[in-house]
């Protein structure tokens, strides 16, 4: 712990200012100067993890290699830094209290009154430092969820205050992300909300070292000086974070504002040379100068909230850049798809992706969309529930098992093509009990996916309870839907593909969780390539 430096990122004024992106961008800059960096997030809600949250509440649930169900910001950390995170990178108030209560029942505090200070704050600090204990990292960035002033985040802020003393001078730094709103009527950027949120932090004994100021227009030197004066920071520690075209611009914008240099100075670390961002800039160049475009229909039931499919949307951006292609996503609600409107709603798409999900709502719309992709040879990508829908569609319309279903929503079907595995049947508790995290998968030689991955052994992340029912596998394969990816340990079907289709792939796992700027996911690259080819042929025929 002694050599590890800790940077804490807090947020003020409103939520949704992009603390995750600022943390990831700062992490990227420090990493590209040669430092070993990881980022962790502490969330103030009482759920033990976001696994039990509806995506409408908190966006996508991001799953790590070790099977932790975590906040979607961890996805940004992995995508920006190309690192792997674990359960230790995301801790909630619920988990902290749960740990303390378990210890209390075990008698760990015998005789003592268990209190927020010191017991809860000690547990928070224990978790703050957990990743720093074995010397794997030079710098650990800790994002504190919520906004300063929330009742819920007080114990985290108090633990930060204490951490400053534990860690000693030069090892602890606070970056406060805040909003500088523009008041149209006054024609001015306003600093008062920021002054108040810094005062709020000061009340808790925390003086921020740097202010990162989000605004929709440039922050003038006058404003910077005013903020410096009222908030006790040097003027060069007032960093502007103007709205960007893409989140992937933010590391370069932060570089321009010298956020990384200020941080290193304050932590007493060598700046080293210029950060190596060539690959990042090359990626941005491709992203911003596409030579073609495609329109992909994303069929799902949470389409009103883009954050619900965050990793999929970002994977499209990575794969689009590889193909120098702008991927326009048309968000299609599966709830409202029916025979009458499907032609119109799925018109003019170059590819269809059916999203993951839970429960019965929107299923029939997804099955209809899979049918359309299969019959019209439109590039198709089904992820988890999306794969299950493609399989059910094939069972119903090709194998003629007309009531083929998943037992998730039809326990009486004669054709339980998607079913619970035996060990899932005993499970009653909902939290953390799915098939979660990385599992190996072996690809069939000569299959489409084998050629796309360029290897036969892969590992991908899962988050589901139901599986392809191997009782039906033979008839599927005889009729042209093959299992091209199999779990070598359990024999479970992990990937299906159609033999006579240019690109029809369904995966039981979530490839979107492993796509990063440095390593865009091969299946997304392949899918976008197939969409480009499909569009070309379509255009030629018109
Ligand atoms: N509801 C399905 C299952 O539990 C699919 C889950 C998913 O799409 N992540 O198996």
């Amino acid at each position: 712990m002694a050599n590890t430096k800790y940077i804490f990122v807090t947020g003020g004024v409103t939520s949704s200012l992009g603390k995750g992106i600022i943390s990831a961008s700062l992490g990227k800059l420090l990493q590209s100067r040669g430092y070993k960096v990881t980022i962790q997030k502490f969330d103030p809600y009482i759920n033990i993890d976001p696994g039990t949250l509806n995506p409408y509440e908190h966006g996508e649930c991001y799953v790590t290699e070790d099977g932790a169900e975590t906040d979607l910001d961890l996805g940004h950390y992995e995508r920006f830094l190309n690192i792997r995170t674990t359960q230790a990178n995301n801790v909630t108030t619920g988990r902290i209290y749960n740990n303390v209560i378990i210890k209390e029942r075990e008698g760990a505090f015998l005789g003592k009154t268990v209190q927020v200070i010191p017991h809860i704050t000690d547990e928070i600090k224990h978790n703050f430092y957990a990743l720093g204990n074995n010397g794997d990292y030079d710098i650990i960035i800790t994002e504190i969820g919520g906004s300063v002033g929330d009742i819920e985040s007080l114990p985290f802020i108090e633990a930060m205050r204490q951490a400053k003393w534990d860690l000693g001078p030069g090892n602890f730094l606070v970056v406060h992300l805040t909003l500088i709103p523009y008041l149209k009527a006054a024609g001015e950027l306003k600093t008062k909300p920021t002054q108040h949120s810094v005062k709020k932090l000061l009340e808790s004994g925390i003086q921020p070292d740097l202010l990162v100021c989000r605004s929709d227009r440039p922050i003038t030197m006058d404003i910077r000086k005013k903020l410096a004066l009222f908030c006790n920071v040097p003027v060069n520690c007032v960093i502007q974070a103007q709205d960007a075209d893409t989140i992937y611009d933010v590391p370069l914008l932060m570089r321009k504002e010298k956020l990384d240099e200020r941080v290193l100075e304050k932590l007493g670390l060598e700046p080293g040379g210029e950060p190596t961002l060539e690959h990042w800039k090359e990626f941005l160049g491709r992203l911003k100068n596409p030579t073609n475009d495609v329109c992909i229909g994303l069929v799902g039931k949470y389409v009103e909230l883009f954050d619900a499919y965050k990793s999929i949307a970002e994977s499209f951006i990575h794969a689009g850049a590889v193909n120098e292609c702008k991927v326009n996503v048309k968000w299609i609600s599966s709830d409202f798809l029916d025979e009458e409107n499907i032609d119109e709603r799925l018109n003019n798409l170059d590819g269809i992706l059916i999203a993951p999900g839970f429960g019965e709502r929107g299923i029939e719309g997804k099955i209809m969309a899979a049918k359309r992709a299969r019959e019209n040879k439109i590039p198709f990508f089904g992820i988890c529930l999306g794969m299950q829908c493609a399989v059910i569609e094939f069972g119903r319309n090709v194998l003629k098992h007309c009531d083929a279903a998943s037992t998730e929503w039809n326990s009486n079907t004669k054709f339980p093509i998607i079913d619970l595995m035996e060990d899932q049947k005993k499970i009653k508790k909902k939290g953390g009990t799915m098939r979660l995290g990385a599992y190996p998968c072996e690809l069939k030689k000569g299959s489409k996916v084998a050629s796309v991955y360029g290897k036969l052994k892969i590992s991908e992340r899962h988050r589901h309870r139901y599986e392809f029912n191997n009782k039906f596998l033979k008839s599927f394969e005889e009729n042209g839907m093959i299992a091209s990816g199999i779990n070598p340990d359990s024999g479970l079907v992990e990937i299906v593909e159609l033999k006579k289709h240019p690109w029809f792939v369904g995966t039981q796992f979530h490839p979107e969780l492993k796509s990063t700027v440095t390593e865009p996911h091969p299946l997304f690259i392949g899918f976008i390539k197939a969409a480009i080819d499909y569009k070309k042929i379509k255009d030629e025929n018109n």
Side-chain angles (χ1 to χ4, degrees), residues 315-466:
S315 301
F316 278 144
I317 291 175
H318 308 156
V322 173
N323 286 297
E324 290 182 12
C325 174
K326 169 136 184 56
V327 180
N328 298 302
V329 179
K330 183 172 174 195
W331 304 81
I332 299 165
S333 170
S334 50
D335 283 4
F336 307 110
L337 273 184
D338 57 37
E339 295 291 356
E340 241 106 89
N341 63 25
I342 190 158
D343 279 345
E344 177 227 325
R345 297 216 169 152
L346 300 191
N347 186 27
N348 233 346
L349 298 176
D350 307 312
I352 295 175
L353 183 143
I354 303 197
F358 293 85
E360 191 176 5
R361 181 166 72 84
I363 287 296
E364 293 305 323
K366 288 183 173 178
I367 291 175
M368 242 178 261
K371 178 166 188 264
R372 199 183 166 86
R374 179 178 59 78
E375 290 179 341
N376 296 290
K377 302 227 178 321
I378 304 170
F380 172 88
F381 198 178
I383 299 184
C384 209
L385 182 65
M387 169 228 169
Q388 297 177 352
C389 287
V391 164
I392 290 166
E393 188 281 316
F394 195 86
R396 285 186 191 173
N397 299 317
V398 178
L399 307 182
K400 304 293 176 203
H401 301 326
C402 56
D403 85 330
S406 163
T407 52
E408 182 174 3
W409 62 86
N410 180 355
S411 49
N412 298 321
T413 173
K414 281 206 282 315
F415 299 98
I417 286 176
I418 303 294
D419 198 7
L420 273 187
M421 277 187 60
E422 279 310 310
D423 54 356
Q424 278 287 340
K425 289 185 182 160
K426 302 186 278 278
I427 291 172
K428 292 275 177 294
K429 282 190 185 165
K430 290 273 185 268
T433 54
M434 284 186 255
R435 175 144 87 105
L436 288 165
Y439 284 86
C441 171
E442 276 177 16
L443 306 181
K444 202 165 266 173
K445 262 199 198 129
S447 64
K448 179 150 293 131
V449 288
S451 77
V452 165
Y453 275 96
K455 55 184 173 183
L456 294 179
K457 282 184 195 306
I458 59 163
S459 162
E460 294 281 0
R461 297 183 203 170
H462 292 248
R463 182 175 188 247
H464 56 101
R465 276 183 219 288
Y466 293 82

Side-chain angles (χ1 to χ4, degrees), residues 477-492:
E477 295 212 309
E478 283 166 1
N479 286 280
M481 182 177 265
I482 60 159
S484 50
I486 300 278
N487 180 314
D489 305 319
S490 58
L492 288 169

Side-chain angles (χ1 to χ4, degrees), residues 13 113 207 209 245 248 300 337 369 387 489:
V13 183
T113 308
Q207 165 65 54
D209 298 284
D245 293 341
Y248 298 104
L337 273 184
M387 169 228 169
D489 305 319

